Amino acid sequence: MRILIVEDEPLVRQRLLRMCSELAGARARFDAVADLEAAGDRLQRSVYDGLLLDLNLGGDDGFELLRRAVAGRYQCVVVSAHRERALQAFEHGVLDFVPKPFSRERLAQALERLLDTGGVRAGRARYLGIWRAQGTATVELADVLWIRADGDYSQVRLRDGRSELHDKSLAALATVLPADFVRCHRSYLVNLRQIRTLHAASGSRYWLVLSDGSELPVGRAHVAALREALGMEGG
């Protein structure tokens, strides 16, 4: 993995570089920049898998970059002294919030989460970042019906009928989405709050009817977990 550290304090930036390199070993390569302009330039010119981001960058607000991060294919961990912004950061889909001053153990925990691409963890995100021609925008997750795998990207279907393209894969999105979003098919995540009914037909065929009347396929491997999530009896 390739990870970018964005931190304006030189001593903290060097400490993060040293500790992260020691903790990750050969699993990751780290670069570091001191401000939003340099970070934006790096992210535009190079492909990164992760971001360690301070929120106060010489007076600039790191949330400007965070909004780009949640719309991008890289995951983000915030490292900041502004603990009061932790909830806001989680609502924007960060993997972790490490308060300053941080210990080696706490940084290691966050870094493991960033490096762990195999585990799916329910997050606390409320918004999803979307790339548009005029820049990035956010949509409320409550307004999302389903998310479908689209190659290395994901298609997001909203209640108003619009579809948006997200730069993260379905697996990457699953690490930050709240527990309301569950797998119903190898290609779909569905918002449990938007499900009207689960139907079964002959030949072990299942499908969901959503709040707007649309239907989604249900893979047989996901039926039992979906029934449990919906509070339905087995069988």
Side-chain angles (χ1 to χ4, degrees):
M1 290 183 68
R2 193 172 179 189
I3 298 171
L4 181 65
I5 296 170
V6 187
E7 169 59 62
D8 66 326
E9 297 181 44
L11 291 178
V12 178
R13 186 167 63 250
Q14 289 303 316
R15 185 177 179 227
L16 282 170
L17 261 176
R18 175 177 54 80
M19 292 176 68
C20 285
S21 296
E22 292 172 357
L23 291 165
R27 292 182 295 166
R29 171 186 166 188
F30 297 87
D31 298 316
V33 294
D35 54 54
L36 287 179
E37 184 178 356
D41 182 61
R42 285 291 188 101
L43 292 171
Q44 191 170 34
R45 290 190 293 108
S46 305
V47 176
Y48 285 92
D49 305 292
L51 191 67
L52 289 176
L53 174 67
D54 186 13
L55 293 180
N56 186 8
L57 297 163
D60 290 329
D61 190 354
F63 260 90
E64 179 183 331
L65 190 59
L66 178 57
R67 293 184 185 96
R68 291 182 56 189
V70 298
R73 69 176 56 188
Y74 42 88
Q75 303 283 25
C76 182
V77 168
V78 168
V79 183
S80 173
H82 294 274
R83 297 169 185 249
E84 74 281 0
R85 306 192 76 180
L87 178 60
Q88 186 182 7
F90 278 117
E91 288 178 344
H92 279 79
V94 301
L95 283 179
D96 205 348
F97 187 103
V98 180
K100 294 178 181 176
F102 55 86
S103 66
R104 183 184 179 91
E105 291 73 25
R106 183 63 183 88
L107 181 63
Q109 182 183 35
L111 190 58
E112 281 301 317
R113 188 164 196 195
L114 191 58
L115 295 173
D116 179 14
T117 57
V120 175
R121 300 175 174 89
R124 286 177 270 175
R126 283 184 54 204
Y127 308 99
L128 201 57
I130 299 294
W131 284 108
R132 289 179 178 158
Q134 66 272 31
T136 58
T138 54
V139 298
E140 287 266 5
L141 282 171
D143 292 330
V144 174
L145 291 172
W146 49 258
I147 304 173
R148 184 178 68 194
D150 191 351
D152 292 331
Y153 304 92
S154 297
Q155 182 185 352
V156 180
R157 177 58 61 87
L158 303 175
R159 288 192 300 176
D160 63 8
R162 287 184 296 126
S163 289
E164 303 278 6
L165 196 64
H166 197 283
D167 211 23
K168 282 189 175 72
S169 68
L170 205 63
L173 279 176
T175 64
V176 296
L177 290 172
D180 289 341
F181 285 82
V182 298
R183 185 85 65 162
C184 67
H185 186 275
R186 64 183 179 183
S187 299
Y188 285 93
L189 289 167
V190 64
N191 186 347
L192 286 174
R193 296 180 182 273
Q194 299 297 334
I195 295 175
R196 186 181 295 167
T197 54
L198 169 65
H199 286 282
S202 59
S204 299
R205 190 173 71 87
Y206 296 85
W207 72 95
L208 294 170
V209 177
L210 304 183
S211 58
D212 67 341
S214 62
E215 298 180 356
L216 277 188
V218 176
R220 280 180 290 179
H222 302 286
V223 173
L226 192 57
R227 284 183 177 275
E228 182 178 354
L230 292 170
M232 301 172 64
E233 296 288 338

